[in-house]
Amino acid sequence: MNPSCNLFIIGPTGAGKTSIGRRLAAHYGLPFVDLDQEIEQHCGVDVSTVFEIEGEAGFRQRESALLDECSQRPGVLLATGAGVVLAEHNRAHLRERGYVVWLQTTIEQQLERLERDHRRPLLAVPNRHERLQAMAQIREPIYRELADLAVPGEHGSVAAASERCIALIDHHWQRQPTAWPRQNA
Ligand SMILES: Nc1ncnc2c1ncn2[C@@H]1O[C@H](COP(=O)(O)OP(=O)(O)O)[C@@H](O)[C@H]1O
Ligand SMILES: O=C(O)C1=C[C@@H](OP(=O)(O)O)[C@@H](O)[C@H](O)C1
Ligand SMILES: [Mg+2]
């Protein structure tokens, strides 16, 4: 949604939603909210343990409930998890409540960045390349349809990627003030 007072970051796992999102929040002076971290705080265990105990279905229910809550906060930068876009009700909240920025990446970049990362339960498989490809096939058309802005992946540092991202957002996002003055007050 444009204009909006919220920035919502979507995109594949390892695209930089969490790390770039944190920098964007600081730049725009918005509170940073990471949906996975919200789930972890709420459950008192990490995402992998939620998957272990409740399965993906349980995780998705928690993710949807917290997305509904967090996306209603006025004036936040919300970094989502890559699979949040799979449910239509989540997509509706994202579409209607914020300016949606899609961070793009390639499978090669994902493999490289996440090589030593074992905190993503859906990547705990023998063939990560195949898994990432299967995810991209399903999710990429959804990201494309949902995004207000697509940001191409960047080979450099997180800092450089964040700067490029800010330049694009500045050009396209019509930032709305967080609180409108009450009329006839
Ligand atoms: N140019 C870049 N863009 C995005 N992430 C990068 C880049 N360079 C390195 N990374 C690293 O990729 C890893 C994954 O980033 P993360 O923010 O966790 O992604 P996501 O939240 O989208 O899954 C982090 O360790 C981050 O530092
Ligand atoms: O691809 C997915 O469905 C998931 C991505 C993760 O977030 P990142 O996109 O930050 O890796 C996290 O929400 C969970 O492990 C499920
Ligand atoms: Mg993340």
Side-chain angles (χ1 to χ4, degrees):
M1 181 174 90
N2 206 15
S4 176
C5 59
N6 292 324
L7 278 179
F8 297 156
I9 313 294
I10 63 168
T13 191
K17 301 179 298 297
T18 298
S19 41
I20 292 175
R22 188 175 283 114
R23 284 171 180 264
L24 297 183
H27 176 84
Y28 290 110
L30 294 170
F32 174 68
V33 182
D34 184 88
L35 196 52
D36 285 333
Q37 288 168 13
E38 290 287 319
I39 294 167
E40 290 179 340
Q41 271 168 26
H42 199 258
C43 298
V45 293
D46 64 15
V47 163
S48 293
T49 308
V50 178
F51 268 74
E52 244 171 66
I53 297 173
E54 300 182 347
E56 182 170 348
F59 173 82
R60 296 293 173 208
Q61 275 183 20
R62 293 185 179 279
E63 184 179 49
S64 291
L66 281 165
L67 173 70
D68 187 20
E69 190 201 298
C70 296
S71 60
Q72 291 189 57
R73 299 181 196 167
V76 291
L77 186 142
L78 176 66
T80 61
V84 78
V85 300
L86 293 170
E88 170 51 36
H89 51 271
N90 292 346
R91 296 199 291 274
H93 292 330
L94 291 166
R95 198 181 285 122
E96 289 159 16
R97 297 175 181 172
Y99 185 65
V100 179
V101 176
W102 169 26
L103 292 189
Q104 298 176 316
T105 188
T106 62
I107 290 183
E108 285 65 35
Q109 283 173 331
Q110 289 175 284
L111 286 169
E112 194 184 310
R113 289 176 192 159
L114 302 178
E115 195 183 354
R116 281 176 289 279
D117 189 309
H118 299 287
R119 289 169 302 163
R120 323 222 178 198
L122 294 178
L123 296 187
V125 291
N127 191 335
R128 279 188 164 195
H129 192 279
E130 229 172 66
R131 169 57 61 91
L132 288 167
Q133 237 169 2
M135 284 168 142
Q137 206 173 355
I138 293 170
R139 296 172 177 186
E140 203 175 298
I142 307 179
Y143 296 137
R144 178 163 290 115
E145 180 272 327
L146 185 61
D148 291 304
L149 176 70
V151 178
E154 158 85 50
H155 280 287
S157 64
V158 169
S162 304
E163 289 307 314
R164 286 226 4 226
C165 201
I166 287 166
L168 275 172
I169 292 174
D170 279 347
H171 199 70
H172 295 279
W173 179 34
Q174 298 161 40
R175 184 173 184 176
Q176 197 173 47
T178 300
W180 289 99
R182 275 176 48 217
Q183 281 180 352
N184 310 320

